Amino acid sequence: RNRNSLLTLNPPYHYIYHSTMIKIGKNCKRFFGTWKLPEHKIVIDKDSYRMAHPIWSLKDAEECPITHYKPSGFRDWIAFTNMKILRVSFDFFSGYKPGNMGENLYLRRFIFLETVAGVPGMIGGMIRHLKSLGKLQRDGGWIHHLLEEAENERMHLFTFLALRQPGITFRVAILSAQAIFLTYFTTLYLLSSKTAHRFVGYLEEEAVKTYTACINDLDAGKLKRWENLAAPAEAIKYWGLPEDAKMRDVIIAVRADEAMHREVNHHLATLNPDDPVDDHQYHIHSSTTKDQTRTF
């Protein structure tokens, strides 16, 4: 990128990224009268190798409603049904017990969730990268966004790993899940990238529900160990959090990331795979609806 198009910000973030993603920040204030993404800046830390990513306003990110894209058409129903099957399996293996979750159970679920959530962006980016090379054509911005999503999900994972290191049984379960999901998602993306992005959109809907449930439990006093737990130093740097940030602030930022991925993937599912994303602004589709009754 042309460094002349980068503006100075306050430390530790030194540059704001002028690209399609800056359009997200400016234009996500209106989504057909439904909901907007929290206020944020897309930034690059010049002292880090990490890609541009959102720095959220924690105050604005407190409002992050649960939404659902209503399936319409064969592809959407395939994606939605597959997500539901994955959700049931994931709930079983991660020991998810809504209303009866402690810190350890949440950490197990978060770690398991993020090892899966980090796969789609990398697979999609890799496939589109190889397609671009093979066809000798530009990709139109998809690869960048997909790889940024994968890195962002990986940062979620390492943030939670700072609080817990899985044992050998958990690690074997993760590797097994990744082998299955990697095969499934690669096949799905090759057959129908639109279906794959819709599937990820539905997956991220579930992630927002999970993090919302955790925040509600924290606020209800059910997670005593996390009430005053300091945020990991790496999380403070990555999300630009206050120096005295707590675990709740981290989860607020992670949930906002998941909401961004939810909307981006639902939008990508509506595009022709050969369309450049630079010509589009990310938005909540008109059929996206608030669903406050399904909280987990």
Side-chain angles (χ1 to χ4, degrees):
R1 295 288 178 177
N2 182 355
R3 290 293 175 180
N4 291 330
S5 65
L6 302 176
L7 301 179
T8 301
L9 291 179
N10 293 329
Y13 296 97
H14 304 276
Y15 301 106
I16 187 164
Y17 198 89
H18 279 265
S19 69
T20 305
M21 295 189 73
I22 200 62
K23 296 179 185 176
I24 302 174
K26 291 181 178 178
N27 291 286
C28 279
K29 298 185 181 207
R30 51 177 179 75
F31 290 145
F32 302 98
T34 53
W35 179 67
K36 67 181 183 67
L37 284 172
E39 295 293 333
H40 62 282
K41 297 177 180 178
I42 303 297
V43 302
I44 294 177
D45 179 359
K46 75 178 182 64
D47 296 324
S48 171
Y49 57 83
R50 296 190 179 96
M51 300 176 69
H53 60 277
I55 298 296
W56 304 99
S57 162
L58 292 179
K59 180 180 179 180
D60 207 44
E62 288 283 347
E63 180 187 355
C64 190
I66 293 169
T67 63
H68 175 57
Y69 183 100
K70 295 179 179 179
S72 121
F74 180 72
R75 287 194 184 98
D76 287 359
W77 279 109
I78 288 292
F80 183 70
T81 302
N82 286 358
M83 182 280 296
K84 282 297 185 182
I85 294 172
L86 178 65
R87 170 68 194 259
V88 171
S89 303
F90 181 64
D91 286 354
F92 174 76
F93 286 111
S94 66
Y96 191 48
K97 302 173 183 177
N100 190 29
M101 295 285 287
E103 293 89 345
N104 289 341
L105 281 177
Y106 267 123
L107 276 177
R108 180 198 297 177
R109 183 170 180 82
F110 292 165
I111 291 171
F112 212 116
L113 171 67
E114 298 302 346
T115 60
V116 172
V119 171
M122 184 59 65
I123 294 299
M126 179 188 70
I127 290 174
R128 295 194 65 91
H129 174 70
L130 295 175
K131 179 181 177 181
S132 176
L133 295 178
K135 295 179 69 174
L136 306 180
Q137 293 179 354
R138 295 183 183 276
D139 180 69
W142 290 68
I143 295 172
H144 169 85
H145 291 293
L146 294 174
L147 294 184
E148 190 280 328
E149 176 185 311
E151 181 184 70
N152 181 254
E153 298 286 12
R154 193 172 70 252
M155 276 303 303
H156 296 176
L157 172 64
F158 283 101
T159 295
F160 297 125
L161 286 176
L163 303 177
R164 176 186 178 180
Q165 286 294 318
I168 184 64
T169 302
F170 195 1
R171 290 173 185 267
V172 170
I174 288 173
L175 290 175
S176 300
Q178 284 186 332
I180 296 170
F181 187 71
L182 181 66
T183 303
Y184 161 76
F185 192 80
T186 301
T187 303
L188 180 63
Y189 207 94
L190 289 170
L191 292 175
S192 173
S193 60
K194 283 190 172 186
T195 307
H197 283 296
R198 185 69 72 208
F199 170 83
V200 176
Y202 287 133
L203 192 65
E204 298 292 2
E205 289 180 5
E206 301 302 311
V208 172
K209 293 178 185 179
T210 293
Y211 287 114
T212 297
C214 180
I215 293 168
N216 290 340
D217 283 350
L218 251 173
D219 293 343
K222 296 180 180 180
L223 304 175
K224 297 293 185 182
R225 283 164 38 203
W226 284 1
E227 288 182 355
N228 295 304
L229 181 64
E234 191 172 18
I236 290 176
K237 180 174 176 60
Y238 182 75
W239 282 288
L241 301 174
E243 291 299 322
D244 60 348
K246 304 300 182 185
M247 186 64 184
R248 187 181 187 279
D249 299 319
V250 174
I251 298 173
I252 288 287
V254 170
R255 183 180 64 171
D257 285 342
E258 304 294 8
M260 172 75 86
H261 300 324
R262 177 187 67 192
E263 306 309 330
V264 166
N265 277 280
H266 276 318
H267 178 64
L268 294 179
T270 67
L271 301 183
N272 185 305
D274 292 327
D275 286 350
V277 296
D278 293 341
D279 293 340
H280 298 268
Q281 295 172 357
Y282 294 153
H283 58 276
I284 290 181
H285 194 274
S286 56
S287 65
T288 299
T289 57
K290 286 187 178 181
D291 185 358
Q292 299 287 8
T293 61
R294 298 166 63 193
T295 57
F296 57 85

